[in-house]
Amino acid sequence: MNPYAISHYFGRHNAPFIQSALDLIEVSRSGLSKKAVATMAKTLAIPQNDLYGILHISARTWQRYTDEKLLPQDVTEKALQLAQLYSKGESVFGDSWKFNGWMNHPSLVLGGKKPIELLDTTFGFQFVTDELIRIEQGVLA
């Protein structure tokens, strides 16, 4: 599985084809459209309020953007990071439904928090990613 193959989350015609780290850098710089990120959130079943917190964007700012508006680099990077995390999670858990269940269930290992609650920081993303790797390797505690 290619860890960079995340384009399908954004919709077939909403985002450039991504298959390498260099593609991620270029897309981060050029920006994803609001429509692409909204499609990703719907595909991954991420509630709007969670999405706003993860992307560090207010609901009001989000609503002011048109569907074609390219999002700023920091917002685009978070969206790409989120898609990569979900891709990894789906690979580890075998499907999106099981992974979503894990993302929305409090975990003792994560301090009693739901993994999705930690994604508002880079450190939270890393913590959740590290936990996925431990699960993948069979290290559950």
Side-chain angles (χ1 to χ4, degrees), residues 91-137:
S91 172
V92 170
F93 281 86
D95 67 41
S96 60
W97 187 81
K98 289 177 185 174
F99 179 62
N100 270 324
W102 182 78
M103 286 294 289
N104 289 288
H105 186 74
S107 170
L108 291 175
V109 175
L110 301 177
K113 300 221 182 267
K114 298 175 186 176
I116 199 160
E117 294 173 348
L118 302 177
L119 301 182
D120 60 332
T121 70
T122 301
F123 299 110
F125 262 99
Q126 189 60 54
F127 195 35
V128 172
T129 300
D130 290 347
E131 185 58 22
L132 282 174
I133 291 168
R134 283 190 284 279
I135 291 168
E136 183 177 45
Q137 296 173 345

Side-chain angles (χ1 to χ4, degrees), residues 1 3 5-6 8-9 40-47 50-51 54 78-104 115-117 119 125 128-129 132:
M1 185 186 105
I6 57 173
H8 62 284
Y9 293 127
M40 176 202 64
K42 185 175 181 179
T43 301
L44 301 177
I46 299 171
D50 289 341
L51 181 68
I54 293 166
K78 284 288 189 185
L80 292 168
Q81 195 174 14
L82 187 59
Q84 280 195 299
L85 178 74
Y86 270 73
S87 179
K88 177 69 172 175
E90 289 173 3
S91 172
V92 170
F93 281 86
D95 67 41
S96 60
W97 187 81
K98 289 177 185 174
F99 179 62
N100 270 324
W102 182 78
M103 286 294 289
N104 289 288
I116 199 160
E117 294 173 348
L119 301 182
F125 262 99
V128 172
T129 300
L132 282 174

Side-chain angles (χ1 to χ4, degrees), residues 65-84:
Y65 287 153
T66 63
D67 282 349
E68 291 74 34
K69 169 78 173 164
L70 294 179
L71 300 173
Q73 182 174 339
D74 59 330
V75 175
T76 296
E77 284 178 350
K78 284 288 189 185
L80 292 168
Q81 195 174 14
L82 187 59
Q84 280 195 299

